[in-house]
Amino acid sequence: MDHAEILAGGFDDPAAQSARAFRACLEAMARPGRIQPITGAAPPAPISPAAGAVLLTLVDTTTPLYLAPSQDTQATRQWIAFHCGAPIVPAEEAAFALGAWGALQPVSRFAIGTADYPDRAATLIVEMPGATPPSARLAGPGIETCHEACLPEIAAFAANRTQFPLGFDCYFSAGSQLWALPRSTNVEAL
Amino acid sequence: MSEAAYNFAYLDEATKRMIRRALLKGLAIPGYQVPFASREMPMPYGWGTGGVQVTAACLTPEDCLKVIDQGADDTTNAVSIRKFFERTAGVATTEHTAEASVIQTRHRIPEQALTEGQILVYQVPIPEPLRFLEPRESETRRMHALEEYGLMHVKLYEDIARHGAIATSYAYPVKVEGRYVMDPSPIPKFDNPKLGGNAAIQLFGAGREQRIYALPPYTQVVSLDFEDHPFEPSKADHDCDLCGAAQSYLDEVITDDRGGRMFICSDTDFCASRRADGLRGRLSPEEAA
Ligand SMILES: [Zn+2]
């Protein structure tokens, strides 16, 4: 990856584009399982444009990042170093984590917060092959009755829910699509 | 256009990222108070700097912003915050609830039901519902962690013993999703039923106290009460004297020095919209002529 490629792929108009990308992140976390379009980032493969936009919007020098083996290349490290400046750390120390679901295992390594500070928990950005087909029925805060969504598995998220108010929170990314699963959501297989 | 001297919506990008991360954790843990590093804003703390920072972190150039203070769009506080974002973010503004994508509020929830796609941002003076029981932050944090809410119920029950009813009429505490007890900011308890099952995203910002909390849409929010003394969202026992509304929250206005008074909707946009639709109240000027 040459220098020009590292410099490319960020937001051209950071204030406006990160504001729009954050609204997608906000709507996604507020309405679990609902797919939000999110654009503006062009990170190097295998990071999706959606995951790239989340990184540009939320991750910086103050948020240690775990890069799972699936997304850990010289090019992705350089791009993240230039555009976010996040220190790359082991899973246990991460505020954010990026990777395919399998590469993020075991997810029991990630911070779930403490009883006094449940917010000190990791946010996982899970790269997905697609946003369909739906595999889970979701219910809980943010969902009027129930909502169907594509998740990489069921058991890990059901177990995460039992720890509430502790637990990790997840974004899922595929192409330019983003959806989320906070720790508060009840998950069952379709 | 926004002035070049400011970043979009005033705050720098690093500060917005920090506030945005706090907002997302707030949504993931409904009713829990997330600490954040509040910034100095070019307005006094009493003017809702927490709400202003949350609004600044949420606004996009395409938003249409409404700002209300006690239900009114035209108070000094509401006008100055609206102007602040017109100048620093270049966003459109409105007084009509239905037209707004972001609504910043102090002390009221609009009468008109909010919809998906809308965000309601509350200015919060004291975010800690347990503060009057326990001044130490480390202790209230422990009480939330352990769900130690017994003292809160004792306090409310003392009200009943003393007054025959729960006397708290503003900032009436609620329990969110059966877990965290939350201060809904000093809204009248009449507004409490609108906190739960709301289609909009509700975000709360306390500037001086450096706390952010949130209610995702359709969250279960229950006002604390007792089986023998159920929660009652009371209001003045009148209709609006200007638009005739029977179900809106009313302000009592003294009209002369001989004890004359009238009751009018505190939500000025709601009242004006009803009058524009031809609805009239007891003292409507058009009919007094
Ligand atoms: Zn009225």
Side-chain angles (χ1 to χ4, degrees):
Chain A
M1 193 174 190
D2 66 29
H3 195 60
E5 285 175 283
I6 295 166
L7 296 181
F11 289 145
D12 302 321
D13 179 1
Q17 285 180 294
S18 63
R20 294 184 189 111
F22 173 67
R23 281 290 276 280
C25 294
L26 186 81
E27 287 287 337
M29 195 57 81
R31 304 176 195 280
R34 278 229 231 154
I35 294 166
Q36 309 290 333
I38 182 168
T39 56
I47 300 179
S48 66
V54 175
L55 292 174
L56 293 176
T57 304
L58 299 176
V59 172
D60 58 25
T61 55
T62 67
T63 56
L65 173 72
Y66 172 68
L67 210 46
S70 60
Q71 319 302 109
D72 188 358
T73 69
Q74 193 191 6
T76 58
R77 279 194 178 232
Q78 286 177 334
W79 190 81
I80 288 165
F82 179 76
H83 292 281
C84 307
I88 304 296
V89 297
E92 292 77 7
E93 299 163 27
F96 286 84
L98 172 67
W101 182 245
L104 288 166
Q105 301 305 314
V107 290
S108 56
R109 295 178 291 169
F110 294 104
I112 58 170
T114 64
D116 283 4
Y117 294 97
D119 54 302
R120 295 178 182 174
T123 302
L124 314 186
I125 306 165
V126 184
E127 296 275 24
M128 299 280 284
T132 55
S135 59
R137 183 180 294 108
L138 315 183
I143 301 168
E144 189 168 15
T145 50
C146 63
H147 190 83
E148 293 180 1
C150 178
L151 300 184
E153 71 162 276
I154 304 296
F157 301 109
N160 190 44
R161 175 65 185 81
T162 64
Q163 309 184 87
F164 187 87
L166 308 188
F168 54 80
D169 308 300
C170 292
Y171 280 111
F172 301 97
S173 49
S176 295
Q177 295 178 304
L178 184 74
W179 64 108
L181 190 79
R183 66 191 80 175
S184 61
T185 305
N186 291 296
V187 179
E188 58 179 60
L190 272 181
Chain B
M1 281 302 293
S2 53
E3 291 172 22
Y6 297 111
N7 194 21
F8 174 76
Y10 186 78
L11 294 173
D12 63 87
E13 290 304 299
T15 298
K16 280 190 268 186
R17 276 193 299 274
M18 178 267 296
I19 295 171
R20 287 165 176 167
R21 290 190 296 262
L23 287 167
L24 296 172
K25 287 303 177 196
L27 285 168
I29 318 163
Y32 164 75
Q33 300 165 52
V34 184
F36 82 109
S38 183
R39 292 294 189 263
E40 290 288 329
M41 298 299 286
M43 56 192 76
Y45 271 124
W47 285 41
T49 57
V52 167
Q53 290 176 82
V54 170
T55 297
C58 287
L59 280 180
T60 71
E62 295 74 36
D63 272 313
C64 184
L65 176 69
K66 172 182 163 82
V67 182
I68 49 172
D69 179 8
Q70 312 261 15
D73 297 80
D74 59 0
T75 67
T76 311
N77 187 317
V79 170
S80 81
I81 292 172
R82 200 160 60 234
K83 288 211 169 116
F84 175 75
F85 284 116
E86 281 173 352
R87 206 176 69 235
T88 61
V91 292
T93 57
T94 183
E95 296 193 359
H96 300 306
T97 298
E99 288 175 3
S101 51
V102 177
I103 302 172
Q104 181 170 331
T105 182
R106 175 173 174 269
H107 297 188
R108 276 309 311 276
I109 299 175
E111 301 289 352
Q112 184 174 348
L114 301 178
T115 57
E116 294 196 3
Q118 289 186 307
I119 298 174
L120 184 59
V121 177
Y122 296 76
Q123 301 173 202
V124 181
I126 301 171
E128 180 49 75
L130 307 174
R131 176 67 47 80
F132 70 95
L133 296 168
E134 171 54 65
R136 286 168 298 178
E137 204 270 339
S138 57
E139 289 302 309
T140 54
R141 188 162 285 284
R142 253 353 266 163
M143 290 162 78
H144 285 294
L146 299 170
E147 292 185 75
E148 238 178 55
Y149 296 133
L151 275 178
M152 191 77 188
H153 280 92
V154 168
K155 188 268 173 189
L156 291 175
Y157 212 87
E158 281 171 358
D159 267 9
I160 294 169
R162 201 172 305 135
H163 308 286
I166 296 173
T168 306
S169 54
Y170 292 88
Y172 189 102
V174 296
K175 197 166 206 183
V176 179
E177 291 284 330
R179 181 57 183 83
Y180 285 101
V181 168
M182 185 191 99
D183 184 313
S185 86
I187 58 173
K189 67 177 180 180
F190 172 83
D191 281 341
N192 272 30
K194 292 180 241 171
L195 292 161
N198 200 313
I201 296 172
Q202 298 174 80
L203 307 173
F204 299 77
R208 190 185 49 223
E209 304 269 339
Q210 314 208 78
R211 292 290 181 277
I212 278 170
Y213 49 106
L215 296 172
Y218 312 114
T219 294
Q220 185 206 64
V221 179
V222 177
S223 301
L224 299 184
D225 65 358
F226 301 92
E227 232 164 68
D228 50 343
H229 284 88
F231 173 79
E232 282 177 29
S234 58
K235 66 179 273 282
D237 191 17
H238 291 269
D239 295 349
C240 173
D241 284 327
L242 292 182
C243 77
Q247 301 301 327
S248 73
Y249 190 73
L250 303 173
D251 286 337
E252 186 177 351
V253 179
I254 306 297
T255 52
D256 56 44
D257 55 10
R258 300 186 308 277
R261 56 186 191 154
M262 63 193 294
F263 289 92
I264 57 174
C265 296
S266 104
D267 184 332
T268 52
D269 171 57
F270 178 76
C271 196
S273 301
R274 284 176 54 88
R275 282 179 276 143
D277 289 343
L279 294 162
R280 294 289 175 263
R282 189 175 63 93
L283 299 174
S284 294
E286 291 85 347
E287 287 169 9

